Amino acid sequence: MALDKFGIARRIAQELRDGMYVNLGIGIPVLVANYIPSGMQIMLQSENGILGMGPYPREEEIDPDLINAGKETVTVLPGGAFFDSAESFGMIRAGKVDLTVLGAMEVSENGDIANWKIPGKMVKGMGGAMDLVASARLIIVAMQHTNPRGESKLLAHCSLPLTGVGCVKKLVTDLAVLDITERGFRLLERAPGVSVEEIKEKTSGRLWIEGEVPEMQL
């Protein structure tokens, strides 16, 4: 079965390393905060001016004045800090963020990402995504493998306006984990119960498969 959004977030949490500074985008990416391995020290940064975010609050912890860049209520860990957007984007543009996790509407086989605009439709806009994809050391995309019409979102070339060029390194979708390589999408893992054939069918860009593809361990 394909993963739900929580399964995608859980798998991405496996990519975290102790001591990382991480920015989580709106949507599926922010759920990663709930799956940080116990004992691992991760500093979560939000471009609206928070460093040291924790998991989503329980009902009794909700503070309406404490929100992330997606206007969702959050918690802050001991030692967390608050600052203005200029300071926040100074951190991002100076390359202080080790990992950015973003959602996407399309990703191309060479790592281009389109995640901020669909012509003729109302979306939230780019936010800090263009700064993040230009400055973060590692960019992972969290998204559904296909759009609501069943069309692949993993393409040879993006059709939507680009957020960044050649910047994505890895994708975790509801079907698979893939690296971006010079040979296109490299299939690393498949979701439990999902076949390689289904992933092939739903990937429009070049797909590189080498040997036996293991199931994700969640």
Side-chain angles (χ1 to χ4, degrees):
M1 293 178 62
L3 301 180
D4 61 13
K5 61 184 180 180
F6 302 103
I8 295 173
R10 187 186 295 273
R11 176 58 186 82
I12 289 174
Q14 296 177 19
E15 300 296 317
L16 302 177
R17 298 294 179 266
D18 199 49
M20 272 187 166
Y21 286 75
V22 179
N23 184 287
L24 302 176
I26 296 168
I28 296 172
V30 294
L31 298 174
V32 174
N34 289 338
Y35 300 105
I36 295 172
S38 177
M40 184 176 288
Q41 298 297 313
I42 299 293
M43 292 296 286
L44 296 180
Q45 194 256 16
S46 181
E47 60 261 37
N48 63 319
I50 306 175
L51 187 64
M53 286 188 300
Y56 276 117
R58 296 187 296 269
E59 188 171 354
E60 65 272 16
E61 297 176 316
I62 292 175
D63 180 346
D65 293 323
L66 196 56
I67 60 172
N68 62 18
K71 300 181 176 60
E72 299 170 306
T73 53
V74 295
T75 60
V76 174
L77 300 176
F82 304 93
F83 34 85
D84 63 21
S85 288
E87 188 77 20
S88 180
F89 279 90
M91 293 178 186
I92 293 168
R93 293 167 184 168
K96 303 299 184 182
V97 176
D98 297 304
L99 167 64
T100 291
V101 184
L102 293 171
M105 298 158 188
E106 295 176 347
V107 174
S108 76
E109 63 188 36
N110 69 328
D112 299 345
I113 178 173
N115 83 335
W116 73 277
K117 182 178 182 180
I118 299 177
K121 293 192 177 182
M122 291 291 291
V123 293
K124 291 185 177 180
M126 69 184 72
M130 289 189 175
D131 291 273
L132 288 161
V133 299
S135 306
R137 300 172 190 174
L138 174 62
I139 297 163
I140 297 176
V141 165
M143 68 177 190
Q144 303 297 318
H145 212 94
T146 59
N147 64 26
R149 298 184 298 276
E151 300 164 340
S152 179
K153 295 169 65 173
L154 281 66
L155 309 172
H157 305 283
C158 293
S159 63
L160 297 173
L162 295 182
T163 310
V165 174
C167 55
V168 177
K169 303 303 182 187
K170 180 170 285 190
L171 299 90
V172 179
T173 77
D174 55 330
L175 302 182
V177 179
L178 308 102
D179 270 346
I180 300 287
T181 75
E182 292 181 353
R183 295 171 60 181
F185 299 106
R186 182 186 180 192
L187 182 57
L188 301 178
E189 301 172 20
R190 52 192 174 84
V194 173
S195 68
V196 171
E197 287 68 29
E198 181 179 357
I199 296 166
K200 285 181 181 178
E201 180 185 337
K202 294 181 177 178
T203 304
S204 291
R206 290 180 299 163
L207 184 63
W208 171 25
I209 301 170
E210 189 173 49
E212 193 73 21
V213 179
E215 285 192 351
M216 298 181 201
Q217 300 298 311
L218 299 173

